[in-house]
Amino acid sequence: MSNSFENGSSKGTILSFGELLLRICPDAGGEWLHENQLPFFVGGAELNVATALALWGLPSSYFTALPDNALSTQILDYLQDKKVDTTPVYMHGDRIGLYYLTRGKDIKNNALIYDRANSAFAALKPGQVDWDKVLNGVSWFHFSAICPAITQNVADVCAEVLEAASARNITISVDLNYRARLWQYGKQPIDVMPQLVKYADLIMGNIWAAERMLGIPVEPNVTESGQKSIYLKEAQNSSQAIMAQFPKCKVVANTFRFDAGEGINYYTALYDGDKLHSSKQYDTDKVVDKVGSGDCFMAGLIYGFYSNLDPLETLEFATSAAYQKLFIEGDATNKTVQQIINAIKS
């Protein structure tokens, strides 16, 4: 199986869909108050994917919603300098979403504070956007589980654009990233995500996200095992169950990132319907910034399949890209294709 995506290999645009966020990074000790400096990064899961793909030389465009003001103009100019096509961006609303994350911390802990209510993206409603125009020339559409977690209206907008993209035979990928502090509008992921994931050709996440969002059960003793071979076997079982439940899906990718003191142990797997491919394992004692590593992995998968790499080549490229992102401060990678290839473990 050389490549699972016929449309992905065409030379259309890769459109990433999601909310642009400004990440504000106070230090843990409060020195920012004395220094009058508060570092920030431009990010958002899907923008991190778009930025990486543009850096790697692929035609990358981005859909988000921003207020029509001078700050948005500066941000759009910044993205265009990074070769991200911002033509699809929808201008309306009053504010840009923010989140605060203490420097050096993970989004999974209590160092995370969202300030994105009533943002321009959160205010999107079905029927507003001309999807014929946005999807013109697009051959790959990427979204994540963060978008439908924001509001019911945004979940409905996701369904609207996915239906439109699917009708055009556009390849669709989804990242099953779970944000516990979202999903506050009365729905759980399992209530929403299956109706969106049914459109996806490529599903990325991990076995626990698939259980929470898609109802794919994980064996009760797997988490306690800590054994790579058991995790990989469970990845294969989960992937096969996903494909059975969602027949459009051609590839399922799983990441395994485990904390090891101040560092991590990291490896990944990809199931293409024929076999389970697993990456080399990467280990480090220290991490600079965990934010965006999964987005970088997702971008690596899209890069590989779009570029007609075989599944294992794609997986190793994506894994190397994600691992290197752990040593880069900020939301998006700055590593070139050749640097990523050179860093692949032999």
Side-chain angles (χ1 to χ4, degrees):
M1 187 175 204
S2 60
N3 193 311
S4 303
F5 302 103
E6 294 179 8
N7 290 339
S9 62
S10 70
K11 296 307 175 187
T13 300
I14 304 163
L15 176 66
S16 300
F17 168 97
E19 182 169 18
L20 183 148
L21 296 169
L22 298 180
R23 171 159 65 114
I24 314 298
C25 303
D27 61 279
E31 288 303 312
W32 65 274
L33 289 163
H34 304 282
E35 297 172 358
N36 295 315
Q37 291 186 350
L38 196 55
F40 76 94
F41 300 99
V42 178
E46 304 82 9
L47 178 56
N48 296 338
V49 172
T51 304
L53 294 172
L55 174 64
W56 299 338
L58 297 190
S60 176
S61 64
Y62 181 55
F63 176 91
T64 195
L66 294 173
D68 189 1
N69 60 33
L71 180 61
S72 296
T73 299
Q74 289 181 336
I75 291 171
L76 293 174
D77 288 345
Y78 170 79
L79 297 181
Q80 287 160 3
D81 286 344
K82 291 182 173 292
K83 310 301 183 188
V84 176
D85 176 12
T86 61
T87 305
V89 173
Y90 186 74
M91 309 302 289
H92 86 138
D94 299 318
R95 63 178 302 238
I96 299 170
L98 311 175
Y99 73 107
Y100 299 82
L101 182 64
T102 304
R103 296 191 96 166
K105 299 297 184 181
D106 196 337
I107 57 173
K108 295 176 184 176
N109 64 31
N110 61 9
L112 171 68
I113 302 169
Y114 282 125
D115 179 17
R116 54 199 293 184
N118 305 311
S119 69
F121 193 86
L124 284 173
K125 293 180 173 61
Q128 276 185 305
V129 179
D130 181 352
W131 296 121
D132 283 331
K133 184 177 179 182
V134 169
L135 296 172
N136 184 41
V138 171
S139 65
W140 192 300
F141 179 90
H142 174 65
F143 77 109
S144 85
I146 294 175
C147 297
I150 298 170
T151 66
Q152 181 65 64
N153 277 334
V154 175
D156 293 340
V157 171
C158 287
E160 183 181 63
V161 65
L162 287 167
E163 184 177 358
S166 183
R168 288 162 179 75
N169 294 316
I170 294 170
T171 298
I172 295 170
S173 56
V174 61
D175 182 348
L176 298 179
N177 35 20
Y178 176 64
R179 299 291 182 265
R181 299 195 179 198
L182 299 177
W183 297 102
Q184 299 297 315
Y185 61 92
K187 296 282 184 71
Q188 293 300 310
I190 191 66
D191 301 323
V192 177
M193 288 308 300
Q195 293 306 308
L196 304 179
V197 168
K198 70 181 182 182
Y199 294 107
D201 301 276
L202 167 59
I203 298 171
M204 190 277 273
N206 59 53
I207 56 176
W208 299 281
E211 180 176 52
R212 182 181 293 274
M213 296 194 168
L214 306 178
I216 305 295
V218 175
E219 286 294 327
N221 298 327
V222 164
T223 303
E224 287 73 27
S225 75
Q227 293 185 36
K228 184 176 181 179
S229 61
I230 293 177
Y231 285 134
L232 290 176
K233 180 62 177 174
E234 193 65 14
Q236 179 165 332
N237 293 340
S238 175
S239 299
Q240 290 172 335
I242 287 171
M243 285 189 171
Q245 187 169 322
F246 303 100
K248 191 169 184 282
C249 179
K250 302 176 181 69
V251 168
V252 180
N254 280 276
T255 61
F256 295 93
R257 194 180 85 183
F258 300 110
D259 291 333
E262 292 292 311
I264 66 156
N265 303 320
Y266 185 73
Y267 56 92
T268 66
L270 185 150
Y271 183 72
D272 61 9
D274 291 335
K275 67 177 289 189
L276 183 79
H277 305 272
S278 59
S279 76
K280 302 292 194 303
Q281 180 168 325
Y282 294 77
D283 306 291
T284 180
D285 294 329
K286 185 156 185 169
V287 169
V288 172
D289 196 336
K290 293 180 181 178
V291 173
S293 175
D295 307 328
C296 202
F297 179 73
M298 184 76 246
L301 295 177
I302 296 172
Y303 175 86
F305 284 116
Y306 188 98
S307 304
N308 293 314
L309 304 183
D310 69 38
L312 184 56
E313 283 181 296
T314 296
L315 183 66
E316 293 290 9
F317 177 85
T319 306
S320 175
Y323 179 71
Q324 288 183 78
K325 173 60 193 71
L326 296 169
F327 307 101
I328 300 167
E329 191 170 31
D331 283 44
T333 187
N334 58 18
K335 297 296 185 183
T336 65
V337 168
Q338 195 58 53
Q339 287 173 321
I340 291 165
I341 292 172
N342 291 344
I344 293 174
K345 287 186 81 170
S346 56

